[in-house]
Amino acid sequence: MQNTDLPNEGNKFQVWKLEITDKSKGFMELLQQLSVCDSVSDKQFEERFQELSAYGDDHIGCVIEDNHSGKIIATGSMFIEKKFLRNCGKVGHIEDVVVDAGSQGMQLGKKTVKFLTNHAHEMECYKVILDCGVGNKAFYEKCGFKEKEIQMARYFV
Amino acid sequence: MQNTDLPNEGNKFQVWKLEITDKSKGFMELLQQLSVCDSVSDKQFEERFQELSAYGDDHIGCVIEDNHSGKIIATGSMFIEKKFLRNCGKVGHIEDVVVDAGSQGMQLGKKTVKFLTNHAHEMECYKVILDCGVGNKAFYEKCGFKEKEIQMARYFV
């Protein structure tokens, strides 16, 4: 397992790689705070977990656990996109960052983004990108990001 | 190989899956019209092509070839992101769509986006997303997309 090393913040809230046991620690309930996320069976979860694990370092999910409650209180994920342009460059895509509503103000979001950004750097990506609502722009600017383009979406369901 | 079937447009400009031989047809030069893309050796190209092929249907690159010149005049790519939220849903990410500057006005971009969007639909994604400059917003609206969020980026190089 890997942890971040933000200075002066101690080890109270470490960032860990997502593990299959995190489902029983409220991982899916945390995602529900971000988006539509009905119940998923243990089997479905394990299958998706294994599919993602098969990508090796090209996909990473991370979590922060509250040691007192044993609940997952922050998460985020990243996949590494392999391109032909930029001399066969790679791009880190940050997805599904969410901090528990009752655990705000402890820099858990910042720790999560830093962990994922570091991973992209280690994977030799030339950039990291993410899409967010306008309301989260200031947060990501504090994480070193700048507004670049617009996101367009087409929903099938 | 797979082709689109836009009505009333004939088969002059079909969309095909990217093949390893497309490098010799100006594929990389076309990407240079979109972004920084210095020369890539045949070996580098083949390695990246094989890496992407290993993803199976979870990654697709497509091209349109000008039958007269034998050159690739449009391209785009998509990778399928597997999530836990949305009941272990999937999202299609469209990347690196470019139409040759000398081949505009023939709906090649629209055909390319339609091909990739269809792929996402077949893969049972719940949505397709992409990032673009404000100047391309109207084009993607014609393709059925709507502006949703903002893209934030952090460059390492």
Side-chain angles (χ1 to χ4, degrees):
Chain A
M1 291 200 279
Q2 231 176 329
N3 70 312
T4 58
D5 55 354
L6 286 188
N8 305 321
E9 292 188 347
N11 288 322
K12 194 178 174 192
F13 295 114
Q14 287 194 355
V15 185
W16 305 98
K17 284 191 185 177
L18 177 71
E19 296 191 352
I20 208 157
T21 50
D22 290 329
K23 182 171 186 286
S24 65
K25 296 178 180 175
F27 173 70
M28 295 301 291
E29 290 75 8
L30 179 61
L31 285 181
Q32 282 171 5
Q33 295 185 32
L34 180 68
S35 180
V36 178
C37 192
D38 293 338
S39 78
V40 161
S41 71
D42 287 350
K43 186 165 177 283
Q44 280 179 297
F45 184 85
E46 284 179 33
E47 280 175 7
R48 177 52 38 98
F49 185 90
Q50 299 300 349
E51 283 177 305
L52 292 171
S53 298
Y55 292 136
D57 288 335
D58 290 338
H59 183 279
I60 188 169
C62 70
V63 295
I64 297 177
E65 182 178 334
D66 180 339
N67 292 331
H68 297 294
S69 68
K71 293 287 181 188
I72 304 299
I73 51 174
T75 184
S77 68
M78 167 175 281
F79 58 85
I80 308 291
E81 178 209 359
K82 293 170 181 170
K83 289 180 178 287
F84 287 105
L85 54 74
R86 286 272 185 165
N87 309 327
C88 294
K90 293 190 280 191
V91 174
H93 292 248
I94 291 179
E95 296 283 337
D96 304 340
V97 173
V98 53
V99 175
D100 172 55
S103 309
Q104 306 287 330
M106 296 184 288
Q107 300 211 300
L108 305 186
K110 201 172 175 183
K111 276 191 172 188
T112 301
V113 172
K114 184 183 167 79
F115 180 90
L116 296 171
T117 303
N118 284 350
H119 180 72
H121 198 218
E122 286 166 10
M123 292 293 289
E124 299 181 331
C125 294
Y126 70 89
K127 69 174 177 181
V128 181
I129 60 173
L130 58 90
D131 296 316
C132 68
V134 175
N136 284 323
K137 182 181 167 185
F139 165 71
Y140 284 110
E141 283 174 343
K142 284 180 194 161
C143 296
F145 288 74
K146 288 183 182 167
E147 186 173 354
K148 186 85 194 303
E149 297 195 310
I150 57 173
Q151 183 215 40
M152 305 290 289
R154 180 173 168 178
Y155 282 76
F156 294 124
V157 288
Chain B
M1 289 200 280
Q2 229 176 331
N3 69 312
T4 59
D5 54 352
L6 285 187
N8 306 320
E9 290 189 345
N11 289 322
K12 195 177 174 192
F13 295 114
Q14 287 192 354
V15 185
W16 305 98
K17 283 190 184 177
L18 177 71
E19 295 191 351
I20 208 156
T21 50
D22 290 329
K23 181 171 187 285
S24 65
K25 296 177 180 175
F27 173 72
M28 295 302 290
E29 290 75 7
L30 180 60
L31 285 181
Q32 283 171 4
Q33 295 185 32
L34 179 68
S35 181
V36 178
C37 190
D38 293 338
S39 78
V40 161
S41 72
D42 288 349
K43 187 165 176 284
Q44 279 179 296
F45 183 85
E46 285 179 32
E47 281 176 3
R48 177 53 37 99
F49 185 90
Q50 299 300 349
E51 282 178 305
L52 292 172
S53 298
Y55 292 136
D57 287 334
D58 290 338
H59 184 279
I60 188 168
C62 70
V63 295
I64 297 177
E65 181 177 335
D66 180 339
N67 292 330
H68 297 293
S69 68
K71 293 286 181 190
I72 303 298
I73 52 175
T75 184
S77 68
M78 165 174 283
F79 58 85
I80 309 290
E81 178 209 357
K82 293 171 181 169
K83 288 181 178 288
F84 287 105
L85 55 75
R86 286 271 183 167
N87 309 327
C88 293
K90 293 191 280 191
V91 174
H93 292 248
I94 291 180
E95 296 283 336
D96 303 341
V97 172
V98 53
V99 175
D100 172 53
S103 308
Q104 306 287 330
M106 295 184 289
Q107 300 211 298
L108 305 186
K110 201 172 175 183
K111 276 191 174 189
T112 301
V113 172
K114 184 182 167 79
F115 181 90
L116 296 171
T117 302
N118 285 349
H119 180 71
H121 198 218
E122 287 165 8
M123 292 294 288
E124 300 181 330
C125 294
Y126 69 90
K127 69 175 178 181
V128 180
I129 60 173
L130 58 89
D131 297 315
C132 68
V134 175
N136 285 322
K137 182 182 167 184
F139 165 70
Y140 284 111
E141 284 174 340
K142 285 180 195 161
C143 296
F145 288 74
K146 287 182 182 169
E147 186 173 354
K148 187 87 193 304
E149 298 195 309
I150 57 174
Q151 184 214 41
M152 307 289 292
R154 180 173 168 178
Y155 282 76
F156 295 125
V157 289

